[in-house]
Amino acid sequence: MGDWPREVAARGYLFGLEQFEDLVAQEMYRKPGEGPRVDLDAVVRDGMVRLGEGRYETVLYLGDRAGIPVVTCTASWDPESVELRCPAPRYLKILAEGLRESHGWTTERVHAYLAGLPGVRGLWDVAELRALIHGE
């Protein structure tokens, strides 16, 4: 996967399976309750289950935390095959605030992390990113 990161700073939420299915449905542009069912046993057993070919239609098993399966939804395609688009300032601000809040990171650490990510690196001016994260 080229220089794509193998690890990511994340924040988890404890959902019931039905809540997770509703979240996945919404990410698939469907109404809650109208998405496909997620076979959690199959996800844990196989490491992933594809619900479709679109974005957020692949459910990945990331391991357990306190005996509870940790899962996420993502796209099934190889990231190297996707044309990267410059993330919107509002989106980056939300990410920066989340990293500070959930991980206690300093503004400098948040900047270094975001600036190094594919999709930001080379698409965002370093000074503009710093000003955005610092709230200037």
Side-chain angles (χ1 to χ4, degrees), residues 67-86:
I68 299 170
V70 177
V71 296
T72 191
C73 59
T74 189
S76 63
W77 49 76
D78 179 353
E80 299 289 337
S81 68
V82 177
E83 180 183 345
L84 298 178
R85 296 184 186 165
C86 188

Side-chain angles (χ1 to χ4, degrees), residues 15 17-31 35-36 38 51 55-59 71-74:
F15 289 157
L17 181 57
E18 218 173 273
Q19 290 173 301
F20 181 71
E21 289 172 338
D22 284 346
L23 173 76
V24 172
Q26 291 173 63
E27 291 294 347
M28 297 163 75
Y29 299 110
R30 298 177 184 167
K31 292 180 182 177
V38 175
L51 305 173
R55 64 185 204 124
Y56 299 112
E57 295 190 30
T58 298
V59 179
V71 296
T72 191
C73 59
T74 189

Side-chain angles (χ1 to χ4, degrees), residues 51-115:
L51 305 173
E53 293 302 317
R55 64 185 204 124
Y56 299 112
E57 295 190 30
T58 298
V59 179
L60 297 178
Y61 172 62
L62 305 175
D64 286 340
R65 183 163 179 114
I68 299 170
V70 177
V71 296
T72 191
C73 59
T74 189
S76 63
W77 49 76
D78 179 353
E80 299 289 337
S81 68
V82 177
E83 180 183 345
L84 298 178
R85 296 184 186 165
C86 188
R90 180 164 161 61
Y91 181 69
L92 285 175
K93 281 187 79 98
I94 290 169
L95 292 178
E97 290 166 8
L99 289 167
R100 280 194 285 266
E101 179 184 305
S102 62
H103 296 286
W105 287 3
T106 65
T107 300
E108 286 306 312
R109 184 166 181 195
V110 169
H111 178 265
Y113 178 78
L114 292 176

